């Protein structure tokens, strides 16, 4: 299974959504960002994986957006909010 994760690292909340090959959302999460953007992105992704009963290995691609998008070291792509 190859899934895509989108992570929005905002200044207040960080959100993650995981989509399947048909662009259907299979899991999502939201958590407070705090002061560490990288940690917040990792936590949001982990919560989404748990919600969807998925493994990190199931994720084939990660896109990040938001104020902390460049702090997500495990991203494949950083996208501006306007593009999203």
């Amino acid at each position: 299974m190859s899934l895509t994760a989108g992570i929005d690292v905002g200044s207040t909340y960080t959100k993650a959504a995981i989509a399947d090959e048909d662009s259907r959302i299979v899991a999502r999460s939201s958590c407070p960002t705090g002061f560490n953007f990288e940690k917040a992105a990792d936590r949001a992704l982990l919560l989404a994986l748990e919600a969807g009963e998925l493994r990190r290995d199931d994720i084939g691609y990660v896109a990040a957006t938001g104020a902390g998008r460049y702090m997500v070291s495990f991203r494949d792509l950083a996208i501006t909010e306007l593009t999203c």
Side-chain angles (χ1 to χ4, degrees):
M1 177 182 335
S2 181
L3 302 173
T4 300
I7 304 173
D8 178 7
V9 186
S11 60
T12 306
Y13 281 89
T14 296
K15 289 79 62 186
I18 300 173
D20 66 13
E21 297 89 354
D22 297 320
S23 300
R24 291 181 298 212
I25 302 296
V26 297
R28 62 183 173 204
S29 71
S30 178
C31 60
T33 299
F35 295 102
N36 186 324
F37 289 136
E38 173 84 12
K39 185 176 179 181
D42 193 55
R43 184 175 347 117
L45 180 57
L46 179 62
L47 289 171
L49 290 169
E50 289 175 359
E53 297 180 358
L54 302 165
R55 300 170 318 179
R56 197 146 189 162
D57 292 343
D58 294 331
I59 305 297
Y61 196 82
V62 177
T65 191
R69 66 186 174 271
Y70 293 117
M71 301 297 184
V72 182
S73 65
F74 56 90
R75 77 184 186 286
D76 294 295
L77 177 68
I79 311 169
T80 68
E81 295 89 322
L82 293 176
T83 301
C84 287

